Amino acid sequence: MSGNKASKQKSCQHCKNRSASAPHDTSTIHYEKFWLYRHCSSVQQGDRQAQKAGQLFSGLLAMNVVFLGSAFVSSMIFNHVAITLADVWILLSILKVLCLCWIIYYLLGTSRQPHAVLYRDSHAGPMWIRGSVLLFGTFSILLNTFHIGYSAVLIQCKSRVEIVFPSIEILFICTQAFFLWHHSKDCIQVQHNFTRCGLMLTIATNLLLWLLAVTNDTIHMEIESQLREVEQRFAGKAPSHIPVCNETVSCTCPNTTICKVFQKGYILLYPFNTEFCLVCCSVLYVMWKNVGRRISHHHVPHIKHKFKLQGVVFGPLLGAIAVIIGICVFMMYQIQATSSVPDRQVFVMFYSYYVVLLPLMSVGAVVGTIIHALEKKELDTLKNPTRSLDVILLMGAALGQIGMSYFSIVALVATDPRELLNSLILSYSVLLILQTITQNVFIIDGLHRQPLGHTHFSKEEETKEEQIHEACDQRRLSMLELGQEIRRASLSYIHSYSHLSWKRRALREISFFLVLCNIILWVIPTFGAHPVFENGLEKSFYGYSTWFAIVNFGLPLGVFYRMHSVGGLLEVYVTA
């Protein structure tokens, strides 16, 4: 007993000496004390409570801003006299100016403070999501440029707000894209509450911009469809059950080339603005979750996975065939469906393409899920805000397509499901639900698997891969050996393909095939193919206004789902 007591005293004395001699750690950041944390004794429990209080306050701020903006947009839709589109633009312009002030302050002040960014989340802001921000941001800038030009041509009947609003929008898009490109991975350790409020205000502003874009797109599509109904009446066709607008369009585009270019460019690029707002909201939400987050060293991945096409053949081949056929179907549909009298056969062709493609995608996702179950990879249970958001966005965005499909199923079963076009649309709706569910299961299961670099391989497999890489690195190209080098490269590719395990190879093939399929399924509705509204079947069953509201809620979510699925599938492919 005395020996144990003496050893304990020695160890305590050693700890005191070590703590006394250790230099003061200047990198330790004490969590910022929120006002609720300082004044209420019930929440004085530590950093965790302060973090929750800050998240609650910033969340309430965003909720109030969204409700206020939604009230303005709803009032504009239902009462054009009291609240006009110009009033909504003024409110959003004020919000964008406030967001710009905070982003500039963050770039020049907060992020440059000592110990501001001690940690960076490697999972946040991957290249594909930042590339999407730049791509959609560029198209949104072009959209607003066309808007300014179109309003300038019709300045005699347009408000000056229609020129000021797009100008502020361009500045907001540029600043936000720069901010997200450089700081999407930040885990900020200073000014937590002010940063959270700024991020939530920016999220709320993007959500309101998305809501306005959807409602404006609804108005444009409504006018276009009503004009088509008028043309059908003049042609002697029986009109559908759609109320025709009694108001005349006060501003008409003159017969000049520049006005037509601005008008067509504005209509073509309009969907990209909705995508930009949704992508920015997802990145900003991850940043908001990472405020004050401390990442331990063993959570940082040591292996950086890169995108390589090595070892895949059938996936790209089948996916390329699906993309080429889809582009041909899309072009034929656009030519026929945009005419004054759409041909019924073009809808049969369009839905037939989907009825063939969707089962193939569902089978691929089911097979991939089974392979995941057969693998011996461990589940990644570490806290990952980016992955949690990916799962939420996949499940939430899928509700748009699933909801529209169920509405279509009810309408078609209640009318005449035995007719050719009706049976195709019914099959399309059922298959779309199955494909969305199976693909979500495959992606979510793949995202929760440990990356390949964290698993153990057999020595034989590691030796073979190392020999292949060493052989490729030691070769030197010359003009005389070019033919032999091409032959060796081909043999090396075939050799590496044959030595990949069949599970890894199958997962890569399936992931790449689904990536290309989701790309074409994103392109078709994004660039204006909306047969769910133009076929007229569900529209005549539910009524014009009801079906239009359903479509414009579900269609943007469906487009966002396809784009987000591409990112998730790429991550599954890279880590396979």
Side-chain angles (χ1 to χ4, degrees):
M1 292 291 294
S2 60
N4 292 337
K5 190 177 291 186
S7 61
K8 287 180 181 180
Q9 290 177 354
K10 286 183 180 180
S11 61
C12 292
Q13 186 66 29
H14 176 69
C15 292
K16 289 179 181 180
N17 295 335
R18 187 175 61 180
S19 61
S21 60
H24 181 65
D25 187 8
T26 58
S27 63
T28 301
I29 306 298
H30 296 285
Y31 204 93
E32 180 184 352
K33 298 299 186 293
F34 189 66
W35 65 270
L36 190 62
Y37 176 81
R38 291 196 306 265
H39 293 89
C40 298
S41 59
S42 60
V43 293
Q44 293 181 6
Q45 302 296 327
D47 295 348
R48 189 73 174 173
Q49 284 75 10
Q51 183 179 4
K52 290 181 178 179
Q55 290 177 347
L56 174 63
F57 183 79
S58 58
L60 289 172
L61 172 66
M63 184 184 69
N64 281 275
V65 173
V66 169
F67 281 154
L68 175 62
S70 301
F72 264 76
V73 175
S74 302
S75 302
M76 177 199 70
I77 295 172
F78 297 112
N79 193 336
H80 297 281
V81 179
I83 301 294
T84 62
L85 181 60
D87 298 327
V88 179
W89 278 344
I90 291 172
L91 173 66
L92 290 177
S93 297
I94 294 172
L95 292 176
K96 283 187 284 190
V97 169
L98 292 175
C99 293
L100 283 172
C101 293
W102 172 78
I103 291 174
I104 293 171
Y105 175 78
Y106 183 92
L107 295 173
L108 301 180
T110 304
S111 62
R112 297 189 177 186
Q113 290 189 13
H115 312 299
V117 186
L118 294 177
Y119 313 99
R120 290 177 68 84
D121 187 358
S122 59
H123 298 283
M127 182 56 65
W128 72 268
I129 196 79
R130 289 187 293 160
S132 301
V133 170
L134 290 184
L135 177 65
F136 296 141
T138 303
F139 284 125
S140 298
I141 291 171
L142 290 175
L143 167 72
N144 285 279
T145 304
F146 284 128
H147 190 185
I148 293 172
Y150 182 71
S151 301
V153 172
L154 301 174
I155 191 64
Q156 68 276 5
C157 60
K158 292 281 186 180
S159 172
R160 297 187 183 275
V161 180
E162 296 195 32
I163 298 178
V164 176
F165 180 78
S167 303
I168 299 175
E169 178 79 5
I170 291 174
L171 183 61
F172 177 70
I173 291 170
C174 293
T175 308
Q176 185 174 224
F178 178 84
F179 166 68
L180 295 179
W181 180 265
H182 290 281
H183 296 277
S184 60
K185 297 179 179 293
D186 288 1
C187 298
I188 200 72
Q189 301 297 323
V190 297
Q191 298 182 354
H192 308 98
N193 305 309
F194 187 66
T195 303
R196 282 199 188 93
C197 291
L199 288 169
M200 271 297 169
L201 180 64
T202 312
I203 291 174
T205 304
N206 279 286
L207 285 176
L208 292 176
L209 289 172
W210 172 79
L211 180 62
L212 180 63
V214 171
T215 54
N216 267 355
D217 195 27
T218 304
I219 294 170
H220 287 297
M221 292 172 64
E222 184 176 349
I223 293 172
E224 190 176 326
S225 300
Q226 289 169 351
L227 290 175
R228 186 177 295 168
E229 288 293 327
V230 174
E231 291 177 358
Q232 290 182 4
R233 289 187 177 186
F234 279 116
K237 290 272 185 180
S240 303
H241 300 286
I242 301 177
V244 179
C245 183
N246 296 323
E247 299 178 1
T248 57
V249 180
S250 58
C251 276
T252 56
C253 193
N255 292 325
T256 57
T257 305
I258 186 68
C259 186
K260 295 295 183 183
V261 169
F262 286 144
Q263 189 181 50
K264 292 294 182 182
Y266 181 78
I267 294 173
L268 180 65
L269 296 173
Y270 202 91
F272 291 100
N273 193 27
T274 60
E275 298 303 308
F276 177 75
C277 296
L278 291 176
V279 173
C280 289
C281 286
S282 63
V283 180
L284 289 166
Y285 176 80
V286 174
M287 291 186 65
W288 178 77
K289 292 290 289 184
N290 280 332
V291 171
R293 184 185 174 198
R294 301 184 179 111
I295 302 175
S296 58
H297 294 292
H298 65 275
H299 287 180
V300 180
H302 298 285
I303 297 176
K304 230 179 181 179
H305 298 278
K306 294 182 179 180
F307 179 81
K308 294 180 181 179
L309 281 175
Q310 189 175 9
V312 288
V313 175
F314 300 105
L317 181 62
L318 294 175
I321 293 173
V323 169
I324 293 171
I325 296 175
I327 291 174
C328 295
V329 171
F330 171 70
M331 293 177 67
M332 294 176 66
Y333 176 85
Q334 285 293 86
I335 294 171
Q336 295 290 331
T338 54
S339 61
S340 58
V341 185
D343 188 5
R344 193 175 182 85
Q345 293 300 318
V346 75
F347 293 109
V348 174
M349 176 194 65
F350 188 91
Y351 284 109
S352 298
Y353 171 73
Y354 273 83
V355 168
V356 173
L357 182 62
L358 291 175
L360 295 176
M361 297 175 66
S362 300
V363 171
V366 171
V367 172
T369 305
I370 294 173
I371 294 173
H372 275 149
L374 295 176
E375 279 189 314
K376 295 181 179 179
K377 287 184 181 180
E378 296 180 358
L379 291 176
D380 188 1
T381 57
L382 295 178
K383 184 181 178 182
N384 190 337
T386 305
R387 186 177 57 206
S388 302
L389 179 64
D390 287 338
V391 173
I392 293 172
L393 291 177
L394 279 173
M395 300 298 291
L399 296 178
Q401 293 188 134
I402 294 175
M404 282 198 304
S405 298
Y406 277 117
F407 277 105
S408 297
I409 290 171
V410 172
L412 293 166
V413 171
T415 53
D416 186 13
R418 291 172 293 181
E419 200 268 333
L420 176 60
L421 181 58
N422 289 11
S423 61
L424 281 174
I425 299 175
L426 182 61
S427 303
Y428 159 78
S429 301
V430 174
L431 291 172
L432 186 62
I433 294 172
L434 294 176
Q435 191 276 324
T436 303
I437 294 174
T438 54
Q439 182 172 272
N440 276 356
V441 173
F442 173 65
I443 295 175
I444 294 171
D445 196 13
L447 292 176
H448 283 83
R449 296 285 171 174
Q450 286 279 6
L452 192 63
H454 294 275
T455 58
H456 298 284
F457 307 106
S458 62
K459 293 184 178 180
E460 184 180 354
E461 185 177 356
E462 289 182 350
T463 305
K464 288 178 180 177
E465 291 189 357
E466 288 176 2
Q467 289 175 355
I468 293 169
H469 291 300
E470 289 176 2
C472 293
D473 294 337
Q474 291 174 358
R475 292 170 185 161
R476 296 181 180 178
L477 289 174
S478 65
M479 295 301 294
L480 297 176
E481 298 176 350
L482 185 60
Q484 295 180 357
E485 186 60 35
I486 294 174
R487 182 173 176 272
R488 289 177 183 175
S490 302
L491 291 174
S492 175
Y493 183 85
I494 295 171
H495 183 73
S496 62
Y497 180 81
S498 62
H499 281 79
L500 282 173
S501 67
W502 69 270
K503 295 176 186 177
R504 292 172 55 191
R505 189 164 65 236
L507 284 176
R508 284 190 166 193
E509 300 281 10
I510 293 170
S511 300
F512 205 95
F513 170 70
L514 292 176
V515 165
L516 294 178
C517 291
N518 278 275
I519 287 175
I520 189 61
L521 295 184
W522 171 80
V523 168
I524 290 175
T526 299
F527 287 94
H530 304 140
V532 289
F533 185 78
E534 292 161 348
N535 62 43
L537 299 175
E538 299 95 337
K539 184 169 53 179
S540 61
F541 181 82
Y542 289 106
Y544 184 77
S545 301
T546 303
W547 184 242
F548 223 114
I550 294 171
V551 169
N552 279 275
F553 171 78
L555 194 62
L557 288 177
V559 172
F560 180 74
Y561 170 77
R562 293 299 172 188
M563 187 207 67
H564 198 71
S565 297
V566 170
L569 288 166
L570 284 175
E571 189 167 346
V572 173
Y573 172 86
V574 170
T575 57

